[in-house]
């Protein structure tokens, strides 16, 4: 019997990650191409098509061996049509991406939000494997999320389900968000937020070791807190408390058995998980909290392409 494969594509503002993946989840080839954001991203679809053709030639795979393409894009995605309502970092707006990629490649295409695909990847082969109900959170420059409920990723009526980075957590005095509002979870708990809050703390703690650094990163804040820096410790206490409250509220909505944390900030490991779990436990409905464990994501940068392959596996007919 002929081996069949799927192609996962994870489209980011800097690179497009691509992979050819077998139906049992083995990555045969993975690679990246630059994301050409010129002319409002008009060349990206053709670049993906060319990259796939070259890879199949290199692997000596005929197109008939490919079940389809599962692609993830940032922003608001209508998964039922593959239509990108808006992807700010790329330049797409009201773009019929799924149909265009399908016409160019001649392959079936399924599209979803990139955070949803990362959640599917972790649910299939990563830290969330084998569970029907989970929340995946990506803590990086921004905050992304994906929710799997009863074995299915939640998309919502128009593709905005699980945009947890845009949960309003500060109703006054919050920092502006790229969604046009202020006080979103993204502006309070992302790596960007951690750095901003640390700089604000300098006024209160001018002797903080962080004030001596030229370019502060979230990693610097975690390291300073570990070394006893009070300003850094207070920043992280605020961040974990806010995130713990947000996750506890999501828990009573979806009742997950796992919350999986990924993204650059999650590299802090137990220094993040321990206070976050403490905050979560203090807020969550006890019975709902008893069913849920916290896990660090396992797939790293491969989560999106693996989730794309799973999307094909899930929806391909025949």
């Amino acid at each position: 019997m002929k081996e069949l494969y799927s192609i996962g594509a994870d489209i980011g503002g800097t690179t497009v990650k691509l992979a050819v993946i077998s139906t049992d989840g083995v990555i045969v080839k993975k690679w990246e191409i630059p994301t050409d954001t010129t002319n409002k991203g008009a060349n990206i679809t053709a670049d993906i098509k060319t990259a796939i053709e070259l890879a199949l030639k290199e692997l000596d795979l005929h197109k008939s061996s490919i079940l389809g393409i599962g692609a993830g894009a940032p922003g608001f995605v209508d998964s039922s049509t593959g239509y990108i309502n808006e992807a700010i970092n790329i330049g797409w707006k009201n773009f019929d991406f799924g149909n265009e990629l399908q016409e160019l490649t001649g392959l079936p295409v399924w599209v979803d939000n990139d955070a949803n695909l990362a959640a599917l990847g972790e649910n299939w082969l990563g830290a969330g494997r084998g569970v029907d109900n989970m929340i995946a959170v990506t803590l990086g420059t921004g905050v992304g999320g994906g929710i799997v409920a009863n074995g299915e990723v939640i998309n919502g009526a128009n593709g905005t389900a699980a945009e947890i980075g845009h949960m309003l957590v500060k109703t006054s005095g919050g920092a502006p968000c790229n969604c046009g509002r202020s006080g979103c979870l993204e502006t309070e708990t992302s790596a960007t937020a951690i750095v901003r809050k640390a700089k604000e703390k300098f006024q209160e703690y001018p002797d903080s070791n962080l004030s001596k650094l030229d370019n502060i990163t979230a990693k610097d804040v975690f390291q300073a807190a570990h070394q006893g820096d009070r300003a850094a410790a207070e920043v992280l206490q605020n961040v974990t408390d806010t995130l713990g409250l947000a996750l506890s509220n999501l828990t009573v909505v979806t009742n997950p058995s796992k919350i999986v944390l990924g993204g650059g900030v999650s590299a802090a490991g137990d220094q993040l998980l321990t206070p976050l779990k403490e905050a979560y436990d203090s807020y969550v409905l006890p019975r709902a909290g008893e069913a849920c464990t916290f896990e660090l994501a396992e797939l790293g940068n491969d989560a999106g392409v693996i989730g794309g392959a799973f999307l094909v596996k899930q929806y391909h007919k025949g």
Side-chain angles (χ1 to χ4, degrees):
M1 189 179 202
K2 182 170 67 173
E3 185 78 38
L4 297 175
Y5 305 89
S6 300
I7 294 172
D10 184 3
I11 304 162
T14 305
T15 64
V16 178
K17 298 177 181 65
L18 294 155
V20 178
I21 301 175
S22 69
T23 52
D24 56 358
V26 175
I27 297 177
V28 177
K29 175 181 173 63
K30 65 177 180 178
W31 74 107
E32 298 181 1
I33 60 172
T35 304
D36 183 356
T37 57
T38 61
N39 196 22
K40 297 183 179 179
N43 301 319
I44 295 173
T45 315
D47 289 346
I48 293 173
K49 175 240 185 189
T50 301
I52 289 172
E53 288 179 345
L54 290 172
L56 294 184
K57 184 176 181 180
E58 176 192 328
L59 295 169
D60 195 25
L61 287 177
H62 190 269
K63 195 179 289 186
S64 62
S65 299
I66 307 300
L67 296 174
I69 302 168
F76 302 129
V77 181
D78 187 338
S79 62
S80 64
T81 63
Y83 193 81
I84 311 291
N85 294 284
E86 187 170 27
I88 295 172
N89 293 344
I90 294 173
W92 289 342
K93 188 162 186 170
N94 300 324
F95 179 41
D96 196 7
F97 169 66
N99 281 329
E100 181 170 305
L101 185 59
Q102 185 162 307
E103 288 175 8
L104 282 175
T105 61
L107 291 167
V109 174
W110 290 270
V111 187
D112 209 328
N113 173 270
D114 57 351
N116 284 348
L117 286 200
L120 282 174
E122 289 290 343
N123 192 226
W124 183 25
L125 298 175
R129 68 174 68 83
V131 304
D132 288 335
N133 298 281
M134 63 168 272
I135 298 171
V137 183
T138 303
L139 299 170
T141 305
V143 174
I147 296 175
V148 176
N150 298 327
E152 300 280 343
V153 71
I154 296 177
N155 300 108
N158 65 359
T160 57
E163 286 284 348
I164 67 172
H166 299 295
M167 293 172 61
L168 200 62
V169 295
K170 198 167 185 179
T171 57
S172 63
C177 182
N178 63 19
C179 74
R181 303 181 302 160
S182 297
C184 291
L185 186 66
E186 181 164 293
T187 67
E188 293 296 314
T189 63
S190 64
T192 308
I194 291 170
V195 170
R196 188 193 75 247
K197 287 172 180 284
K199 290 178 178 177
E200 291 169 353
K201 274 289 179 184
F202 293 168
Q203 299 174 23
E204 191 176 343
Y205 296 100
D207 294 332
S208 168
N209 290 333
L210 291 171
S211 65
K212 302 177 179 66
L213 300 176
D214 293 330
N215 296 299
I216 304 171
T217 65
K219 183 178 179 180
D220 292 330
V221 179
F222 276 99
Q223 185 174 354
H226 181 68
Q227 294 170 347
D229 188 284
R230 190 170 174 184
E234 289 188 11
V235 167
L236 296 183
Q237 192 278 330
N238 173 265
V239 166
T240 53
D241 187 74
T242 300
L243 184 58
L245 175 60
L247 293 176
S248 74
N249 286 331
L250 285 171
T251 293
V252 297
V253 176
T254 66
N255 195 197
S257 55
K258 283 189 179 182
I259 294 175
V260 176
L261 299 168
V265 176
S266 72
D270 287 341
Q271 195 181 358
L272 169 70
L273 282 182
T274 300
L276 176 59
K277 188 66 165 59
E278 288 174 357
Y280 172 86
D281 287 341
S282 72
Y283 293 123
V284 74
L285 181 70
R287 179 168 172 77
E290 287 169 5
C292 185
T293 62
F294 279 64
E295 308 283 349
L296 292 174
E298 296 177 358
L299 301 180
N301 289 333
D302 293 339
V305 292
I306 290 173
F310 182 79
L311 202 64
V312 176
K313 179 184 173 78
Q314 188 174 38
Y315 292 112
H316 182 271
K317 306 298 185 207

